Amino acid sequence: MIDHVGAGPDTGSEEPAVYHHPLPPAGFDPSKARDVELQRYGLPAGPGFAAGAAAAFRRGFLAPPPDRPLRFVPAQRPVLALAAASAPARTNRIAAGRLPVHKSANWSGASLAPRGGRDFVSVMGRWTVPAVTGPAGGEERRSSTWIGLDGQGFYQDSSLPQIGTLQIWHPGPPPQAAYETWYQWWARGQANAPEPLPLPVAGGDVVSAILTVLDPTTVRFNLKNETQGLMLQAFDAAAPGPCRISGASAEWILERPSPLGSDGWHPYGLTAYAPFSFTDCVAQSAGPAGRALQDHDLARARLIRMAEITAAARVRTISRPSLVPGRPREVRLTYVGP
């Protein structure tokens, strides 16, 4: 669900191949498992999650609810031909092009770029699914909340693996809200639709997600509903050809998505949403020659506010991000529409 402004219409499709890891057995407690067991099931493990903020995030991600076992939800998509990579590796850098200005027609949140020749190899975050509302009657409204990699580049064959939640306001009758989970590997010039995921979610649920780069064309997807004590079966997806992962940016975004096949200038109306935060936001980078991974918070992040053009041809902000003092891994999102 990329920021399509200026991208032009999608013209083709190269759906990414997907490999699903085995489902853990009933009663499996990932918080007590060894790394070799976690790796078997595609769960966060290894040196990339050994220390620092990433390690703290992993502990929370793997922990079961305090009152019941963690349950695993089958991803329920066809297994296509893809050899699963065994460990994270440094990506090959592609020139990222310019970053967008702080104002966007359909993005609101935080974007971060690495420095010193480093590349991002993972991104993680936690958020409360924002409860949404809207007017009765009229048109359907949508918003999506997600984390992603590489979404800020305007270079050739740029792409964006992302995973998150979708919030829909159906105007009725009767008017009602609906909530879903999804992932997408958007690629410039390709009509790769968001893929619905079977992990249930509701407004007010806390979800957490991790994207991990396995090699320059493969990303691992992990998603958990912490409130309901459910974790989605882990899967790896291959980049749609001829795209490669640059590691040039990491994102934590609330979006006003566009219908598939549109030119990006006509997104859905934005749902009115309850204020919420992306918390525990961490991106990890690798340097040349296999130097140790580094954790990055939002201290250097670029904040993006969402704006729309009114009937009077004026530009007004409809969603505003803000950093939270004393919490360098949190970005707050606030609806400021009519």
Side-chain angles (χ1 to χ4, degrees):
M1 296 186 177
I2 182 74
D3 184 342
H4 291 288
V5 173
D10 291 324
T11 58
S13 178
E14 293 287 345
E15 290 293 339
V18 174
Y19 167 83
H20 288 93
H21 292 267
L23 270 173
F28 178 73
D29 184 349
S31 68
K32 298 178 180 179
R34 297 173 299 166
D35 271 3
V36 65
E37 295 175 286
L38 297 174
Q39 290 167 350
R40 169 176 170 76
Y41 300 120
L43 300 175
F49 297 93
F57 190 96
R58 181 182 79 154
R59 287 193 295 271
F61 189 85
L62 297 178
D67 58 344
R68 60 193 187 279
L70 185 66
R71 291 185 294 150
F72 289 83
V73 177
Q76 298 176 342
R77 296 189 64 242
V79 177
L80 304 179
L82 175 68
S86 60
R90 183 179 183 273
T91 62
N92 294 327
R93 174 167 290 283
I94 301 173
R98 67 177 182 87
L99 290 175
V101 297
H102 292 80
K103 183 169 61 181
S104 167
N106 48 2
W107 277 22
S108 182
S111 175
L112 186 64
R115 290 181 176 179
R118 303 183 69 86
D119 304 304
F120 284 137
V121 295
S122 71
V123 59
M124 56 203 79
R126 178 177 288 111
W127 67 94
T128 299
V129 179
V132 297
T133 60
E139 297 181 348
E140 179 179 286
R141 295 172 179 258
R142 295 192 175 201
S143 61
S144 59
T145 46
W146 51 266
I147 63 170
L149 286 166
D150 278 6
Q152 299 287 26
F154 284 81
Y155 48 82
Q156 185 178 6
D157 298 328
S158 61
S159 68
L160 168 60
Q162 53 190 155
I163 193 166
T165 61
L166 174 66
Q167 299 80 230
I168 306 172
W169 176 255
H170 297 291
Q176 60 184 328
Y179 304 89
E180 302 174 5
T181 54
W182 59 275
Y183 92 98
Q184 182 183 18
W185 199 315
W186 177 91
R188 189 170 300 282
Q190 299 183 25
N192 298 332
E195 297 283 351
L197 294 171
L199 185 72
V201 70
D205 284 356
V206 176
V207 300
S208 52
I210 306 174
L211 298 183
T212 306
V213 177
L214 302 180
D215 61 47
T217 61
T218 312
V219 166
R220 178 164 297 164
F221 293 77
N222 295 109
L223 184 66
K224 178 185 181 185
N225 185 325
E226 298 185 5
T227 301
Q228 298 188 31
L230 300 173
M231 186 178 291
L232 186 71
Q233 179 182 14
F235 62 93
D236 303 343
C243 300
R244 293 169 71 86
I245 303 154
S246 74
S249 66
E251 288 81 35
W252 300 263
I253 297 294
L254 176 130
E255 180 181 359
R256 181 168 61 141
S258 298
L260 187 67
S262 75
D263 59 9
W265 292 99
H266 302 93
Y268 289 99
L270 179 65
T271 57
Y273 65 86
F276 75 100
S277 291
F278 287 97
T279 62
D280 301 303
C281 298
V282 181
Q284 288 188 303
S285 69
R291 291 205 302 263
L293 299 183
Q294 290 184 3
D295 291 351
H296 302 263
D297 58 25
L298 301 179
R300 295 189 298 101
R302 169 169 291 183
L303 299 185
I304 306 169
R305 63 184 175 92
M306 190 188 304
E308 69 174 4
I309 300 176
T310 69
R314 295 180 179 177
V315 177
R316 66 182 181 91
T317 297
I318 55 176
S319 178
R320 178 180 292 117
S322 59
L323 295 181
V324 179
R327 298 180 182 178
R329 292 191 291 275
E330 180 174 347
V331 58
R332 182 81 166 166
L333 277 297
T334 304
Y335 177 73
V336 288

